[in-house]
Amino acid sequence: MDLGTVIGIVLIMALLLGAMVMGVGVGAYIDIPSVLIVIGGSIGALMVSFKPSQMKQFTKIFMKAIKPGEEDVGELIKKLVEFATKARKDGILALEGDVNNEENEFLKKGLSMAIDGSEPDTIRDLLEIEMEQTSTRHKIHGSIFNQWAGLAGAMGMIGTLIGLVAMLLNMADPSAIGPSMAVALLTTMYGAMIGNIFGTPIYNILSIRNDEETVVKQIIVEGIMSIQSGDAPRALEAKLLAYLAPADRVSQFD
């Protein structure tokens, strides 16, 4: 679980609730019509903006932000170097048993093609197509939250305008102006909260996750190409470590 994301969301909610309690109390900030306008209206607009099959992934995508399936890049590079050492010593067919036990489907597919004798260009093209399509799907899923941030803010403004119209129609009663204005502003507050607590932050972390996954797959592609071409394990490791930050480059040959 990504503690940073979880702690961040919990911290924001705790601080906001604490500020409300210390002010006029939480009850003053609860208004059902405003909730219906902002949450119901923004989700309805999302349903118009995206396919039903994409909207079905909403909860699953949110959970990916909280609990990502992260790959240990250092261990992955170590594994690829071990595969290269074994293939260089005993031939690439010696990796068949390792491939059958491999859990990473992307790596398994690429190595299987290499063992079967597929052309390097064919392997690279197929893996890069899969990598690109996966990244595109992830970007679309992330854009749901980015769109939600904008739509929630827009629905908040619409709700505020609805409230202001109701307030202006009751200008003859001065005592109703204050409460009506407060209710009108709540929809803007709800929209801003959704956009800045869930929408934009979740979109940002999903974008980072997508970039990290793309780098992992690039490492796998380069590793498979080097294994198939018979590159020296040390040269392969140096190439793959170049994808990491200097502080994370730890060679197993040192």
Side-chain angles (χ1 to χ4, degrees):
M1 183 172 289
D2 184 352
L3 292 179
T5 301
V6 175
I7 292 173
I9 292 175
V10 172
L11 179 63
I12 293 171
M13 297 303 296
L15 291 174
L16 290 176
L17 288 173
M20 292 176 185
V21 170
M22 288 186 288
V24 294
V26 176
Y29 296 94
I30 298 175
D31 182 63
I32 300 303
S34 297
V35 172
L36 294 176
I37 291 172
V38 176
I39 297 181
S42 61
I43 291 178
L46 281 177
M47 294 174 68
V48 177
S49 304
F50 295 91
K51 295 179 180 180
S53 58
Q54 294 167 338
M55 287 300 298
K56 285 180 181 179
Q57 303 292 320
F58 189 88
T59 303
K60 184 178 179 180
I61 298 166
F62 178 74
M63 293 307 299
K64 261 193 176 295
I66 296 177
K67 192 175 181 181
E70 293 184 347
E71 181 88 38
D72 188 329
V73 182
E75 286 299 315
L76 173 63
I77 292 175
K78 182 179 178 181
K79 181 193 297 184
L80 289 169
V81 172
E82 290 173 353
F83 286 168
T85 303
K86 189 173 184 178
R88 191 175 173 87
K89 180 180 179 182
D90 302 321
I92 197 168
L93 291 177
L95 298 178
E96 192 167 3
D98 297 293
V99 170
N100 291 334
N101 297 323
E102 180 56 48
E103 295 181 356
N104 188 310
E105 290 299 324
F106 189 76
L107 175 56
K108 185 174 184 178
K109 178 182 292 186
L111 274 179
S112 296
M113 293 178 67
I115 291 172
D116 291 340
S118 300
E119 292 293 326
D121 288 344
T122 301
I123 298 174
R124 181 182 288 276
D125 288 344
L126 178 62
L127 294 180
E128 287 183 348
I129 288 172
E130 181 172 334
M131 182 169 59
E132 182 179 348
Q133 291 303 311
T134 300
S135 179
T136 298
R137 287 194 298 271
H138 289 172
K139 288 178 181 177
I140 292 174
H141 289 158
S143 68
I144 292 176
F145 284 87
N146 191 39
Q147 190 83 343
W148 193 25
L151 291 172
M155 287 297 169
M157 290 302 299
I158 291 172
T160 296
L161 293 174
I162 292 172
L164 289 176
V165 169
M167 183 193 73
L168 292 173
L169 291 175
N170 290 289
M171 290 293 288
D173 183 6
S175 63
I177 295 177
S180 297
M181 177 64 79
V183 171
L185 292 176
L186 283 178
T187 53
T188 298
M189 185 189 77
Y190 291 159
M193 288 176 65
I194 290 175
N196 293 285
I197 298 175
F198 298 103
T200 301
I202 295 298
Y203 168 70
N204 288 341
I205 192 62
L206 288 174
S207 297
I208 292 172
R209 302 259 190 267
N210 179 57
D211 292 341
E212 290 174 343
E213 183 176 334
T214 298
V215 170
V216 168
K217 289 185 174 180
Q218 288 173 341
I219 290 173
I220 290 174
V221 171
E222 293 303 326
I224 292 172
M225 294 298 97
S226 293
I227 291 171
Q228 189 179 37
S229 63
D231 290 349
R234 188 182 291 273
L236 168 60
E237 184 191 59
K239 181 192 293 186
L240 300 185
L241 288 177
Y243 283 92
L244 305 182
D248 298 328
R249 297 173 187 172
V250 179
S251 174
Q252 54 187 294
F253 293 103
D254 293 338

